């Protein structure tokens, strides 16, 4: 059951300067919000990329998603991989679907990161229009530990980066070179968003992926690569296209073993990993 009364959190900001909600534990009634969305017969498309050794994260990701992610709602996972034979056989619940899509192997993890936007753009154009109402794009090297439900749905949804939710703006690692399309000048920017989880309506996420893909192609033509690749371009996009809803770092924590006073519940967390082992070119 959801909480009987929802009280505003006083220890964290639960609304942005442009009046978009920031979702924290204690700011919504899960029973009530589930009952509202249940009447709408929605489908949530969810994309995940598992190339090379990243297939090792799939079992935990999918099994934990089945336990915590939009439970009781129709979810269609779209898994992009270069090793379809490595996809584990995970038992899915009722009205939960998994489609495996083959993509070419890549030698640089940066290229994998950068190509995601174009793949997502094409997926929305070619397949999802008639199938889904919302889409979330998530990193595979993660695991669910708590509810991620319809409270996260919105027209355009960003997740506040777990390393930057309680630091001043000058610490944010935006792209600072004016030559890049991802450039954000000092003194600008609202939040620093993670590239590991974002979503929204098909129309809005399509516009996001298309814009980021175009901006990255301009950078490539100019022989420049943004400091944090697609995440830099995502932050630039969110600066000029304000998200209608923000998810707190509960929705992408940095490591399940690390605690924070403001993060009362960890819903999704990165899995501790050795980058040098799983990334192809470190």
């Amino acid at each position: 059951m959801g909480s009987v009364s929802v009280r505003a959190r006083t220890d964290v900001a639960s609304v942005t300067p442009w009046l978009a909600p920031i979702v924290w534990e204690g700011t919504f009634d899960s029973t009530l919000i589930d009952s509202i969305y249940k009447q709408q017969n929605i489908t949530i498309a969810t994309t995940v990329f598992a190339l090379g050794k990243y297939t090792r994260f799939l079992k935990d990701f999918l099994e934990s998603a089945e336990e915590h992610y939009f439970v009781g709602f129709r979810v269609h996972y779209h898994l992009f991989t270069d090793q379809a034979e490595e996809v584990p056989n995970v038992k899915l619940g009722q009205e939960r679907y998994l489609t495996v899509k083959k993509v070419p192997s890549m030698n640089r993890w940066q290229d994998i990161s950068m190509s995601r936007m174009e793949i997502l753009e094409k997926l929305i154009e070619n397949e999802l229009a008639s199938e889904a109402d919302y889409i979330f794009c998530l990193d595979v090297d993660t695991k669910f530990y708590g509810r991620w439900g319809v409270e996260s749905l919105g027209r355009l949804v960003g997740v506040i980066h777990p390393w930057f939710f309680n630091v001043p703006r000058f610490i944010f690692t935006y792209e600072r070179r004016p030559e890049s399309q991802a450039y954000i000048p000092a003194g600008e920017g609202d939040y620093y968003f993670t590239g590991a989880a974002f979503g929204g309506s098909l129309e809005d996420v399509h516009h996001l992926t298309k814009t980021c893909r175009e901006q990255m192609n301009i950078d490539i033509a100019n022989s420049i690569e943004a400091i944090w690749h697609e995440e830099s371009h995502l932050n630039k996009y969110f600066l000029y296209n304000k998200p209608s809803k923000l998810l707190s770092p509960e929705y992408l924590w940095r490591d399940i073993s690390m605690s924070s006073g403001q993060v009362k519940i960890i819903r999704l967390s990165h899995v501790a990993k050795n980058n040098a082992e799983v990334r192809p070119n470190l």
Side-chain angles (χ1 to χ4, degrees):
M1 288 293 288
S3 55
V4 176
S5 64
V6 175
R7 294 176 301 279
R9 288 275 294 267
T10 55
D11 59 329
V12 291
S14 57
V15 66
T16 70
W18 61 93
L19 299 181
I22 307 174
V23 182
W24 293 89
E25 176 70 5
T27 62
F28 63 93
D29 182 322
S30 56
T31 305
L32 175 62
I33 200 166
D34 280 353
S35 68
I36 293 168
Y37 277 92
K38 270 290 183 194
Q39 301 166 31
Q40 298 182 21
N41 192 29
I42 56 171
T43 299
I44 301 102
T46 303
T47 62
V48 64
F49 288 73
L51 281 84
K53 293 179 179 176
Y54 276 77
T55 53
R56 70 179 63 179
F57 300 110
L58 276 169
K59 189 171 190 293
D60 269 1
F61 174 87
L62 289 168
E63 286 182 350
S64 65
E66 284 301 288
E67 196 178 333
H68 298 291
Y69 180 74
F70 288 107
V71 173
F73 290 86
R74 194 182 306 113
V75 170
H76 192 155
Y77 303 102
H78 294 265
L79 164 61
F80 296 90
T81 183
D82 57 349
Q83 299 182 61
E85 67 282 356
E86 295 292 324
V87 176
N89 188 11
V90 172
K91 186 177 186 331
L92 301 180
Q94 192 175 1
E95 290 206 293
R96 315 278 287 197
Y97 310 97
L98 172 66
T99 301
V100 178
K101 295 178 160 59
K102 189 103 163 93
V103 291
S105 302
M106 296 184 189
N107 292 328
R108 298 171 71 248
W109 70 267
Q110 294 93 333
D111 292 335
I112 295 169
S113 163
M114 304 280 262
S115 68
R116 283 204 313 184
M117 289 296 186
E118 184 171 6
I119 292 170
L120 293 170
E121 177 191 358
K122 297 287 185 282
L123 175 73
I124 296 169
E125 283 175 13
N126 299 334
E127 290 185 48
L128 297 189
S130 58
E131 176 208 284
D133 303 284
Y134 296 95
I135 181 170
F136 272 102
C137 312
L138 304 177
D139 272 10
V140 70
D141 54 330
T142 55
K143 183 176 178 180
F144 291 89
Y145 294 92
R147 172 196 166 98
W148 178 317
V150 292
E151 73 283 349
S152 66
L153 295 177
R155 183 181 55 75
L156 185 62
V157 182
V159 182
I160 300 172
H161 197 293
W163 290 105
F164 298 105
F165 75 100
N166 54 0
V167 299
R169 179 166 59 185
F170 73 86
I171 303 282
F172 294 173
T173 53
Y174 292 144
E175 174 54 64
R176 297 301 192 188
R177 294 168 296 173
E179 302 79 30
S180 171
Q181 297 298 307
Y183 169 61
I184 295 177
E188 286 193 34
D190 308 297
Y191 300 88
Y192 189 86
F193 295 95
T194 176
F198 58 91
S201 73
L202 295 187
E203 182 182 358
D204 281 81
V205 177
H206 180 260
H207 190 261
L208 180 159
T209 56
K210 180 174 187 288
T211 304
C212 288
R213 191 256 310 158
E214 290 169 348
Q215 303 291 65
M216 287 190 282
N217 284 343
I218 294 170
D219 273 8
I220 290 167
N222 291 327
S223 302
I224 191 165
E225 199 168 271
I227 179 170
W228 292 111
H229 320 293
E230 65 173 358
E231 185 173 273
S232 301
H233 290 277
L234 181 75
N235 272 281
K236 175 67 172 279
Y237 185 85
F238 280 154
L239 177 57
Y240 294 107
N241 303 268
K242 304 292 193 209
S244 62
K245 181 177 282 184
L246 279 65
L247 304 182
S248 71
E250 297 168 357
Y251 289 82
L252 188 76
W253 193 235
R254 45 206 185 203
D255 182 346
I256 192 65
S257 64
M258 297 178 71
S259 63
S260 161
Q262 293 156 307
V263 176
K264 311 284 187 203
I265 176 173
I266 295 170
R267 305 175 189 280
L268 179 67
S269 177
H270 266 126
V271 177
K273 67 179 188 295
N274 178 351
N275 281 339
E277 188 192 351
V278 295
R279 288 180 174 175
N281 66 305
L282 275 183

